[in-house]
Amino acid sequence: MRLTCRARLGPGDRVTRRVLIEGAEASGAGLICDGSVIGRAGQATTTRAPTIAVWSRRDGPDWSRPRNILIRGCHVHGAIRVWGVGAGQRMDQLRQSSHQADHTRRLQAAAPTAVRLEDVTITGTGSVPLYVGPGVMRLSLTGSRVDGRSVSTAIYLDAESGLNVLSDNTIAVRTGREVIAVDGSAGNVITGNTIALSAGGLTNRGGVFLYRNCGEDGIVRHQTPSNNRITGNTFHASWFGPVRAVVVGSREGDRRYCDADAGHPFGSSVDDGDGATGNVVGDNRIERGL
């Protein structure tokens, strides 16, 4: 279902088709749900076919991107993915751009911007429940809940994105990795969240990790995970074992594919390190046994 307007749904309404918000013509679009359901409970989604996709579209040499999107009060089963260059896993587009200078600016100019997710529930069914793609700026997730399961993370802030806000949310996802990944994303605010490090009987591998995923898919990461603010969050953990609530610089080139982006005079092609600087981490709490 292609959406180019702001639709209002009632509490008993259910949308079972995929929702696509794509291109500049969808600017200002959204879903005001009042508790209605988007997707099917338990139905798996993929990176190419999420429950709700907010995507840019190639328009000749340029990109047509949606702005000012609002999703409020919805219960989304599956995943929300916001993506510009490379939408739908077209990694060749990202790779080609990353081998040129000014990659960060180019991606940010092409990606959706000012996407607001308010009072939503996202119940993951396998893939990342909320994926904030390369170059996405000024997305906010506020007063919401993310639960269910993910083979990866609960929330992923991808390379060259920035100025996104995750605030006052409850995140309780059974993950195969850390709960929130900040991968070459800068200037984000993660504050006031309650984050479960032991959800559904599974102990997650950590809370918020900041790193730069050098070389994956041959894509040069230009921006570093810098100038983020991670404050005032509460991490719920089990009684046993160490707790890695926030880890700044969690990889530092420790990946077998880091050399796959070699040969270019910038970013992770020159330095496999995370380069995480200027981050503020403070006033976070760990509560055990809950």
Side-chain angles (χ1 to χ4, degrees):
M1 181 180 76
R2 187 178 294 271
L3 186 66
T4 57
C5 65
R6 188 160 292 183
R8 184 174 293 274
L9 304 175
D13 292 336
R14 179 181 295 271
V15 177
T16 57
R17 297 172 60 189
R18 288 182 54 220
V19 177
L20 175 62
I21 301 171
E22 183 183 50
E25 68 272 20
S27 292
L31 289 166
I32 312 300
C33 288
D34 196 19
S36 49
V37 174
I38 313 297
R40 298 177 185 270
Q43 184 177 64
T45 59
T46 69
T47 55
R48 292 179 182 270
T51 313
I52 299 177
V54 182
W55 284 357
S56 299
R57 184 184 62 251
R58 191 69 179 262
D59 188 7
D62 301 315
W63 287 84
S64 177
R65 67 172 177 171
R67 304 167 181 257
N68 301 317
I69 305 302
L70 173 63
I71 299 173
R72 176 186 292 157
C74 307
H75 188 168
V76 179
H77 289 280
I80 299 175
R81 295 179 74 85
V82 184
W83 208 336
V85 177
Q89 291 292 99
R90 297 178 179 90
M91 293 303 179
D92 58 317
Q93 295 175 344
L94 282 171
R95 188 161 44 248
Q96 291 167 12
S97 175
S98 79
H99 295 173
Q100 305 170 50
D102 219 12
H103 172 63
T104 300
R105 183 204 59 78
R106 189 161 46 252
L107 261 58
Q108 291 178 355
T113 187
V115 176
R116 290 182 293 148
L117 310 175
E118 300 175 354
D119 187 28
V120 300
T121 296
I122 310 173
T123 299
T125 56
S127 62
V128 177
L130 177 59
Y131 173 80
V132 181
V136 172
M137 302 286 285
R138 296 182 174 85
L139 174 142
S140 61
L141 175 73
T142 57
S144 297
R145 179 179 178 85
V146 186
D147 57 24
R149 61 183 179 85
S150 170
V151 297
S152 180
T153 66
I155 299 173
Y156 201 103
L157 305 182
D158 210 343
E160 325 305 333
S161 68
L163 304 181
N164 302 298
V165 175
L166 309 175
S167 68
D168 302 315
N169 306 294
T170 297
I171 306 170
V173 179
R174 302 189 305 276
T175 67
R177 287 177 38 184
E178 70 273 15
V179 178
I180 300 174
V182 182
D183 173 9
S185 186
N188 303 291
V189 175
I190 301 174
T191 187
N193 302 288
T194 300
I195 300 172
L197 301 183
S198 299
L202 174 68
T203 299
N204 300 326
R205 297 182 182 178
V208 183
F209 283 16
L210 283 68
Y211 61 90
R212 184 165 68 170
N213 199 21
C214 55
E216 187 179 32
D217 296 314
I219 298 169
V220 180
R221 271 63 177 180
H222 288 233
Q223 184 172 255
T224 61
S226 296
N227 302 314
N228 298 286
R229 182 158 61 91
I230 304 165
T231 61
N233 301 287
T234 300
F235 295 87
H236 288 178
S238 66
W239 284 112
F240 306 103
V243 175
R244 297 192 297 169
V246 181
V247 182
V248 177
S250 65
R251 293 195 174 179
E252 299 294 4
D254 184 22
R255 287 297 183 273
R256 57 178 174 75
Y257 45 70
C258 276
D259 290 341
D261 66 353
H264 305 280
F266 30 63
S268 60
S269 185
V270 175
D271 183 355
D272 288 337
D274 291 329
T277 62
N279 296 290
V280 176
V281 178
D283 194 30
N284 299 295
R285 295 189 304 158
I286 297 172
E287 297 184 353
R288 288 187 179 268
L290 301 176

